[in-house]
Amino acid sequence: MNKATRKAVIAGNWKMNMTPSEALKLVSELIPAVQGKNGCEIVVCVPFVDIPAVVAAANGTPVKVGAQNVHFMESGAYTGEISASMLKECGVEYVVIGHSERRQYFGETDETVNLRLKAALAAGLTPILCVGELLTERDQGITAEVVSKQTKVALLGVAPEDARRVIIAYEPVWAIGTGRTATSEQADEVCGIIRAVLADLYGKDTAEAVTIQYGGSMKPSNAAELLAQYNVDGGLIGGASLKASDFTAIIDAAQ
Ligand code: PGA
């Protein structure tokens, strides 16, 4: 496998935006706009309460549905949490795991990210594992170490055939929601470091097969250049995924 044969995935991360009726309006605009655009997989990662409406609207279209988090236990006394089997039964196919906002505001650690990742894989969901350094870490010159450790711990105990099913999103924390995008060289470099970690853990074939996205202020004006990089196989898009026309323009850049 190489860049030409790897699966490109453009995923929107709506974060805590869109009520069910707003969600329905957005996907109703998106679906006709992306008809026939088979050059990448198209995913929208929506708030839990939007899942039923978006799954119903997207059924039979190129738009796939993801959640933004999943708990690692199957069931039990975990008030407020959602399990992988619940998501699966609702028609969810993807789930974002370890987003920096979860790490920053909700106490996610590499260890809980690992548990969530394994729960998602066991339920047949495709995890979108987020890794990325803080600005202070980049300034200290420890980006490679930080991202390598996050990737290794997240994948502890994950078998090679399952590792191939994981999508990894490199999201430098300083680029998320800031309008400050990593340069295409920076994005390619760190996605390449992640691929090298995968090669160490699972061998070159698996490393070359895994989809690695860039995320952090990706928008229509910079998507084509970022997506053209050898190690960048798609994008995880926050702000620009909330407007059908912007998200479609990024999908166009991935064709
Ligand atoms: P952004 O968010 O595109 O708004 O920077 C990306 C993300 O958090 O996944």
Side-chain angles (χ1 to χ4, degrees):
M1 278 228 175
N2 56 34
K3 177 158 181 88
T5 49
R6 277 196 296 270
K7 184 177 66 172
V9 180
I10 299 293
N13 173 13
W14 290 3
K15 309 194 179 185
M16 196 173 75
N17 294 292
M18 303 285 153
T19 65
S21 60
E22 291 165 347
L24 208 48
K25 185 166 174 286
L26 178 54
V27 282
S28 315
E29 287 167 19
L30 187 63
I31 288 165
V34 300
Q35 279 308 327
K37 303 195 173 169
N38 306 318
C40 65
E41 273 180 36
I42 302 166
V43 184
V44 288
C45 299
V46 308
F48 291 129
V49 294
D50 294 347
I51 288 170
V54 174
V55 165
N59 187 24
T61 80
V63 177
K64 308 280 180 239
V65 182
Q68 298 173 13
N69 194 18
V70 63
H71 198 261
F72 42 84
M73 299 301 283
E74 264 178 48
S75 63
Y78 304 98
T79 302
E81 295 298 324
I82 303 283
S83 73
S85 57
M86 291 173 184
L87 294 177
K88 188 77 186 164
E89 193 173 316
C90 289
V92 167
E93 293 180 65
Y94 295 78
V95 60
V96 176
I97 292 177
H99 191 279
S100 66
E101 287 150 19
R102 301 291 324 168
R103 295 177 190 257
Q104 226 177 323
Y105 308 136
F106 303 101
E108 290 284 330
T109 62
D110 289 339
E111 288 70 28
T112 56
V113 166
N114 172 245
L115 294 173
R116 288 174 209 270
L117 186 90
K118 287 189 283 196
L121 286 167
L125 297 168
T126 300
I128 302 177
L129 163 66
C130 300
V131 298
E133 80 287 2
L134 304 169
L135 186 55
T136 51
E137 293 166 335
R138 176 161 283 269
D139 290 344
Q140 287 169 60
I142 57 169
T143 297
E145 271 164 80
V146 168
V147 170
S148 300
K149 175 170 177 267
Q150 288 173 337
T151 306
K152 279 184 200 157
V153 179
L155 292 169
L156 271 178
V158 174
E161 62 274 20
D162 286 334
R164 283 175 176 259
R165 295 169 42 213
V166 177
I167 296 170
I168 301 181
Y170 166 54
E171 298 209 307
V173 178
W174 47 271
I176 294 177
T178 57
R180 182 177 164 196
T181 315
T183 64
S184 49
E185 293 76 23
Q186 288 171 326
D188 190 52
E189 183 194 8
V190 184
C191 290
I193 289 167
I194 294 167
R195 211 176 291 289
V197 170
L198 295 172
D200 269 359
L201 295 174
Y202 299 108
K204 191 150 192 298
D205 279 4
T206 299
E208 282 293 322
V210 170
T211 295
I212 304 180
Q213 300 171 316
Y214 167 79
S217 300
M218 191 185 271
K219 46 190 176 249
S221 59
N222 60 27
E225 192 186 330
L226 287 160
L227 295 170
Q229 305 307 308
Y230 181 82
N231 285 300
V232 180
D233 307 313
L236 184 58
I237 295 114
S241 72
L242 297 173
K243 245 181 90 184
S245 56
D246 284 352
F247 194 50
T248 304
I250 295 172
I251 290 161
D252 285 337
Q255 296 306 296

